Amino acid sequence: MLNATKTTMSENARGAEVLIILLALLVLALPSPIAAQQSTCADCHFADPRAPGRDHLEDWDRSAHGRNRVGCEKCHGGNAATFESFLAHRGILGSANPSSPVHPRNLPTTCGACHAGPFVAFQKSTHFELLRKGDDRGPVCATCHGPVAGDRPSPKALEGHCAQCHGPRGIALRPERAAGARTLYEAINESREMLAIAKPLIGRVTNRTRRAELEGMYQQAEVPLTQAVQAGHEFVYDNLNERLATALQRIEALLGQLANPR
Ligand code: HEC
Ligand code: HEC
Ligand code: HEC
Ligand code: HEC
Ligand code: HEC
């Protein structure tokens, strides 16, 4: 382009044409974050400014669901194999429609299809009982996790969620439930931190047999911790407490082993 003054007009025009084609090819070839997810629903919704729910779309893109290719159709239904809008949306119902899979009352089943552990526990709860009776005062999955993002609420955020309903001015009784839940999840996070400390220490053990043994212990401690999080969806915390106690015993045994090398 520096020697553009020496070239004729027609050469310039041709050059510009080639440049434009090259740029177009480049844009097409660039791996866009949307294309990486391979969902026609998401592709079109990102591209079409008339498509509703911008924030929802971006939340999805940034979420564990977006990263793990849980496409729009997994929650909304529809046909994700076509760019033809009419065909794609056939059967999709707005969330206000009681038959929609994203209607609050149907979320436990929709989300539960992939998250069996939390779903099974949730079905034991008074909250689920309310929902089954058509009483909408209780929380559903989206209350704590957001509709699309699969947020992991911090213990403090969880306390806030409970308190919205169980708080002093809430619709349900027993405000102490909110603080109680926070304390338990703080204990879960502390256990996770202890495991995070153990991990690199195990990695540094040179004796292979011993390292394998310690890795086994690590996994044995992780299992009840995951189960505790799942049991938390009963919102009565007996099972969570029991699983957490087991996890703690195993973590202590593991840390004990690491502190006293044989
Ligand atoms: C070709 C582009 C295109 C494709 C493909 C597409 N959408 Fe849409 N979608 C739109 C546009 C534009 C709108 C808003 C206008 C309308 O309702 O048709 C919309 C509206 C919606 C709505 C709101 C409907 C309502 O009742 O409020 C939902 C939900 C939705 N799409 C989900 C999906 C899902 C899930 C898929 C894939 C199975 C999908 N879309 C595929 C362009 C698309
Ligand atoms: C994990 C489940 C889930 C996934 C995945 C998901 N959505 Fe949603 N979506 C919901 C829920 C739940 C609502 C209900 C409204 C709310 O609470 O915000 C909703 C609402 C919407 C709405 C507003 C219309 C309505 O019915 O309320 C649109 C539009 C929409 N989603 C589009 C999409 C698109 C496009 C994708 C893919 C990029 C997507 N959703 C992925 C769960 C999901
Ligand atoms: C089609 C399967 C599918 C559906 C439906 C689904 N999820 Fe997920 N979800 C996943 C996958 C895959 C992951 C990422 C891997 C993992 O953490 O298990 C995930 C992750 C999560 C996480 C953990 C996020 C993190 O950062 O670790 C939460 C919380 C979650 N989903 C909640 C929900 C909720 C609430 C709904 C319904 C609104 C839902 N999911 C619907 C498959 C699904
Ligand atoms: C009252 C709040 C609340 C409600 C309602 C709720 N959850 Fe959770 N959920 C949590 C908390 C708190 C965690 C633990 C967060 C963490 O890992 O620190 C969690 C964790 C999860 C995880 C991650 C599990 C793992 O193995 O790490 C999934 C998946 C999940 N919930 C799905 C659901 C589904 C599905 C529903 C509806 C049936 C639901 N949740 C309802 C609060 C809630
Ligand atoms: C969206 C509102 C809402 C949220 C959020 C909510 N609850 Fe509830 N909860 C209710 C309602 C409504 C009832 C039934 C009325 C009652 O018994 O007070 C209930 C009942 C209960 C019950 C059974 C009744 C009892 O007192 O034994 C427990 C336990 C409970 N909730 C714990 C929790 C905990 C812990 C949290 C937070 C992790 C939470 N709830 C979040 C609305 C909510």
Side-chain angles (χ1 to χ4, degrees):
M1 299 313 266
L2 281 174
N3 57 359
T5 44
K6 290 183 192 161
T7 56
T8 67
M9 280 299 280
S10 69
E11 267 170 340
N12 244 347
R14 217 172 17 248
E17 234 171 63
V18 169
L19 189 68
I20 286 166
I21 291 169
L22 279 177
L23 276 176
L25 284 175
L26 192 67
V27 168
L28 284 175
L30 275 178
S32 78
I34 312 139
Q37 309 302 345
Q38 292 181 334
S39 164
T40 55
C41 316
D43 281 2
C44 183
H45 274 250
F46 268 104
D48 191 332
R50 290 169 308 156
R54 277 283 137 194
D55 292 350
H56 188 70
L57 208 56
E58 269 150 32
D59 285 348
W60 173 82
D61 199 35
R62 279 193 293 262
S63 73
H65 289 141
R67 285 194 305 274
N68 288 278
R69 295 169 188 244
V70 177
C72 321
E73 74 286 356
K74 295 286 177 10
C75 292
H76 288 279
N79 181 349
T82 174
F83 271 111
E84 172 50 57
S85 182
F86 174 73
L87 292 176
H89 294 112
R90 193 144 69 186
I92 291 183
L93 301 170
S95 56
N97 187 319
S99 301
S100 165
V102 292
H103 184 278
R105 218 172 286 163
N106 301 325
L107 278 184
T109 316
T110 303
C111 311
C114 299
H115 299 297
F119 183 40
V120 167
F122 190 77
Q123 283 172 291
K124 295 183 191 155
S125 71
T126 304
H127 295 149
F128 184 72
E129 198 53 39
L130 293 171
L131 210 59
R132 242 176 26 94
K133 287 191 282 195
D135 182 335
D136 293 332
R137 291 176 305 146
V140 295
C141 315
T143 310
C144 301
H145 296 297
V148 68
D151 303 331
R152 276 183 190 268
S154 68
K156 187 166 174 243
L158 184 68
E159 180 181 26
H161 287 307
C162 306
Q164 264 181 5
C165 302
H166 290 279
R169 281 168 293 123
I171 51 165
L173 303 169
R174 316 247 240 158
E176 73 277 11
R177 291 201 181 287
R182 175 178 178 168
T183 309
L184 285 176
Y185 282 88
E186 277 168 356
I188 287 178
N189 279 349
E190 277 162 25
S191 308
R192 286 171 169 159
E193 280 158 24
M194 284 194 265
L195 278 176
I197 291 170
K199 193 157 204 161
L201 296 178
I202 297 172
R204 261 179 252 148
V205 172
T206 44
N207 181 315
R208 282 175 67 184
T209 319
R210 181 161 160 74
R211 196 170 65 231
E213 207 175 281
L214 293 167
E215 274 162 358
M217 287 181 82
Y218 181 94
Q219 279 156 16
Q220 286 301 307
E222 242 186 347
V223 170
L225 207 53
T226 303
Q227 289 167 337
V229 166
Q230 297 183 343
H233 292 83
E234 295 172 9
F235 307 107
V236 170
Y237 295 120
D238 299 345
N239 286 327
L240 182 151
N241 269 315
E242 190 275 322
R243 292 285 79 201
L244 180 58
T246 303
L248 273 171
Q249 272 169 14
R250 293 183 184 176
I251 292 168
E252 272 163 26
L254 171 63
L255 292 178
Q257 285 281 319
L258 284 165
N260 304 300
R262 271 175 283 165

